[in-house]
Amino acid sequence: MRFKVDHDYHIHSQLSTCSSDPAQTPERILAYAEQFGLKTICLTDHFWDEKVPGASKWYEPQNFAHVASAKPLPQSENVRFFFGCEAEMDKYDRLGISEERLSEFDFIIVPTTHLHMSGFTIAEEEMSAEGRAKAYVRRFESLLKMDLPFEKVGIAHLTCPLMYPKHNHHDVLDLVSDAVFLDLFKEAAKKGMGIELNTDIDCYQGEAREKELRPYFLAREAGCRFYLGSDAHHPIGLDYAVYNFNNFVDALDLKEEEKFDPFGGITP
């Protein structure tokens, strides 16, 4: 059976500083799910736990009290709406969420591709394509070694232009071999974590499309499971999301049994 497009586990509200859009409310997000027939959605605003030292000036205001102010989330008869977060890793591979906070979230996504925050997520000596490729792999490896509830952890936007701002991020991905990717993904599959489908796949054609899809095909080969994430920061992103989800599922020819479900029978 084809992978059902019935969820979105990566959505930002106006509480994320990079959104700050008064129209991007939990109510608007729930309406999006109702409109497009999604059964499960999750709010994942940017978050750095005040219990963990080292927050950047940008992340400092996005503490637990800030992201939790979205609760209680609106619910409907047709949609389950969960509370999650997008937790950052800094240049020391430190994850900005404390052990005590892990139980506060229904789902936690972590970006290994946020290599655009110079001096915070990436060191000055790692700014080249080669340095970024090494940092990308190291961040992924470090995450896999952490003591986390991996059954409710996902890797956000596995491929992303933020890997190499103002350049082609494929130059970074090309420096990560199939063998290295497979080792990472086999361990991710063993841990039971999810891999996010996020890329605007219509933006890529020909060789560029092959390069963009390569890590996802390798993750599939390694036995990983996948979930959908729009990473929408504004209503226009919500309007386009399901169209893109369907294109991505078709590009990978994913089946329903390859779906990652961090919620199961949990009630919000």
Side-chain angles (χ1 to χ4, degrees), residues 195-250:
I195 303 296
E196 184 173 295
L197 303 180
N198 175 284
T199 294
D200 185 352
I201 201 64
D202 271 4
C203 288
Y204 304 99
Q205 301 297 327
E207 184 181 11
R209 186 180 176 91
E210 292 178 7
K211 289 176 180 287
E212 188 72 12
L213 289 173
R214 178 176 71 102
Y216 300 96
F217 277 118
L218 291 169
R220 189 183 190 195
E221 181 182 338
C224 289
R225 295 181 181 272
F226 302 88
Y227 68 94
L228 305 167
S230 64
D231 195 12
H233 287 64
H234 308 277
I236 192 171
L238 299 172
D239 293 339
Y240 177 74
V242 171
Y243 171 81
N244 185 56
F245 290 159
N246 278 296
N247 286 343
F248 213 154
V249 166
D250 288 341

Side-chain angles (χ1 to χ4, degrees), residues 1 22 51 66 69 109-110 134 173 193 207 244 259 262:
M1 180 185 294
K51 294 176 180 288
H66 180 75
S69 67
I109 61 173
V110 182
K134 290 178 182 178
L173 291 174
M193 69 192 310
E207 184 181 11
N244 185 56
K259 179 175 290 179

Side-chain angles (χ1 to χ4, degrees), residues 72-126:
L73 294 171
Q75 304 290 328
S76 78
E77 291 184 0
N78 302 314
V79 181
R80 298 186 302 164
F81 199 167
F82 288 94
F83 177 64
C85 69
E86 183 169 6
E88 190 62 83
M89 292 179 72
D90 68 10
K91 64 182 179 181
Y92 305 111
D93 303 338
R94 177 171 45 195
L95 185 62
I97 182 170
S98 64
E99 183 178 355
E100 301 96 305
R101 292 288 192 214
L102 293 173
S103 62
E104 299 280 359
F105 297 96
D106 299 313
F107 188 44
I108 300 160
I109 61 173
V110 182
T112 55
T113 48
H114 272 183
L115 301 178
H116 61 299
M117 300 180 186
S118 178
F120 179 55
T121 59
I122 184 168
E124 294 295 334
E125 61 270 21
E126 296 177 319

